[in-house]
Amino acid sequence: TQRGGPSTGLPTKQEQSDLNAMVYGTHGEIPKIVIAPASIEDCFYDTIESFNLSEEYQVPVILMTDLQLSLGKQSCETLDLDKVKISRGKLTRDLPELETNQLFKRYELTEDGVSPRVIPGDKNGIHHVTGVEHDETGRPSESAVNRKKMMDKRLSKLDNMLIRDAVRADAPHEEADLLVIGMGSTGGTIDEARTRLDKDGHTINHITIRQIHPFPTDLVNSYMQSAKKVVVLENNATAQLASQVKLHVGQAEKIHSLLKYDGNPFLPSEVYKACKELV
């Protein structure tokens, strides 16, 4: 749950300033997934999906909320437990016999980058586990050839990964005066401001980016192409979400940032005023 920093900062106040830490905070280069729920309902279903994705792709998954979402109060539809599905991914059972001195290929090089895995203790599933670079059976290896193959395997895992509603859109206009982009808890505030802008005769589309990393470039681009201007609304001082949009989609010349980092969430009147000036 993001709140005002740095350090203890504003522990009971709203902020969305940890996006860069979530995306880039690793030692070395690894695949990971960062998801930003946009409602209380999302928080429930996205938590389940996060566990599934972590097992399916064998990567860390970060569920990135913000204080206004995690400590605010919302009504939602009754949660549907029939939607809850558990996926263990490439969990292999009933393994074939191993030859003498052979190990299970826990880190096997595969086309999709995801290796088969076993439950510890399974017969014929013995393999080596280490924190250093390794070969297909897990044994340490500093071979340059093996290193490149293992890196390419890991980094290819998420090439085509998209979560449910990676980008949630309310975009009724084929050509919009303005596209408003948000994340996390900002959706309701944006929609209230849009209602006022609609009454003024302006065409406003709205998308909420829920998959922060890997960035859903094609989806975001499709909505940006049909807008004259784009405003990215976020609770931080350095326009971290806007930077992701510019990095992956481009079109920086039409992107404007609306930032607030005083510890308070956006008010509809603030969003209305800033968007009114832009259009």
Side-chain angles (χ1 to χ4, degrees):
T1 295
Q2 300 170 94
R3 83 291 185 275
S7 188
T8 305
L10 298 172
T12 62
K13 294 290 186 178
Q14 164 72 358
E15 205 154 279
Q16 296 175 316
S17 54
D18 296 331
L19 185 151
N20 286 341
M22 301 300 96
V23 172
Y24 299 115
T26 65
H27 169 61
E29 298 167 305
I30 66 163
K32 68 161 73 166
I33 298 169
V34 182
I35 300 173
S39 69
I40 297 299
E41 191 173 12
D42 281 346
C43 289
F44 177 78
Y45 293 115
D46 286 353
T47 299
I48 297 162
E49 185 165 15
S50 294
F51 277 100
N52 286 340
L53 290 170
S54 187
E55 295 206 53
E56 289 167 4
Y57 292 97
Q58 299 173 27
V59 297
V61 179
I62 298 174
L63 196 65
M64 186 181 79
T65 66
D66 55 55
L67 187 137
Q68 181 64 16
L69 180 60
S70 65
L71 294 186
K73 295 178 175 65
Q74 288 183 9
S75 298
C76 72
E77 296 296 326
T78 301
L79 298 173
D80 184 359
L81 297 183
D82 289 335
K83 291 182 180 179
V84 175
K85 308 295 181 186
I86 296 175
S87 174
R88 300 297 188 194
K90 288 188 176 181
L91 182 61
T92 306
R93 310 302 297 268
D94 301 322
L95 301 167
E97 291 286 336
L98 294 173
E99 297 179 7
T100 304
N101 297 324
Q102 185 183 16
L103 295 177
F104 173 71
K105 290 186 176 181
R106 169 63 185 91
Y107 307 100
E108 184 178 2
L109 297 169
T110 61
E111 285 190 14
D112 63 4
V114 181
S115 304
R117 65 188 183 95
V118 294
I119 293 176
D122 273 359
K123 187 178 181 181
N124 301 314
I126 189 170
H127 58 276
H128 196 76
V129 178
T130 174
V132 302
E133 190 58 275
H134 45 261
D135 63 16
E136 290 183 284
T137 65
R139 293 197 179 281
S141 171
E142 292 189 356
S143 159
V145 174
N146 177 77
R147 164 65 174 178
K148 186 174 186 306
K149 286 181 178 179
M150 284 294 171
M151 282 294 293
D152 290 344
K153 174 184 85 80
R154 289 190 288 268
L155 295 176
S156 69
K157 287 182 181 184
L158 304 179
D159 283 349
N160 301 304
M161 197 283 300
L162 280 176
I163 65 166
R164 167 188 57 84
D165 289 343
V167 174
R168 182 170 292 148
D170 184 1
H173 307 291
E174 290 187 9
E175 292 187 8
D177 294 330
L178 186 67
L179 172 67
V180 183
I181 299 178
M183 63 176 170
S185 64
T186 59
T189 303
I190 293 170
D191 285 339
E192 187 170 335
R194 283 178 65 213
T195 300
R196 303 182 192 181
L197 291 161
D198 286 340
K199 290 179 180 179
D200 291 347
H202 303 298
T203 54
I204 313 294
N205 286 340
H206 171 206
I207 64 171
T208 298
I209 300 178
R210 294 183 0 87
Q211 181 173 307
I212 304 298
H213 186 78
F215 196 82
T217 302
D218 291 341
L219 288 174
V220 175
N221 182 55
S222 65
Y223 294 106
M224 288 181 59
Q225 291 282 6
S226 60
K228 296 175 184 176
K229 293 182 179 180
V230 177
V231 61
V232 183
L233 181 149
E234 50 192 313
N235 286 117
N236 59 57
T238 54
Q240 295 178 31
L241 181 60
S243 295
Q244 290 293 308
V245 175
K246 292 174 183 177
L247 173 65
H248 295 285
V249 182
Q251 304 181 52
E253 70 284 351
K254 67 163 69 170
I255 296 174
H256 305 265
S257 285
L258 178 54
L259 308 175
K260 188 173 184 179
Y261 44 94
D262 62 1
N264 296 307
F266 282 99
L267 297 174
S269 58
E270 294 171 326
V271 180
Y272 169 79
K273 180 180 178 182
C275 292
K276 184 75 173 175
E277 291 174 357
L278 279 174
V279 298

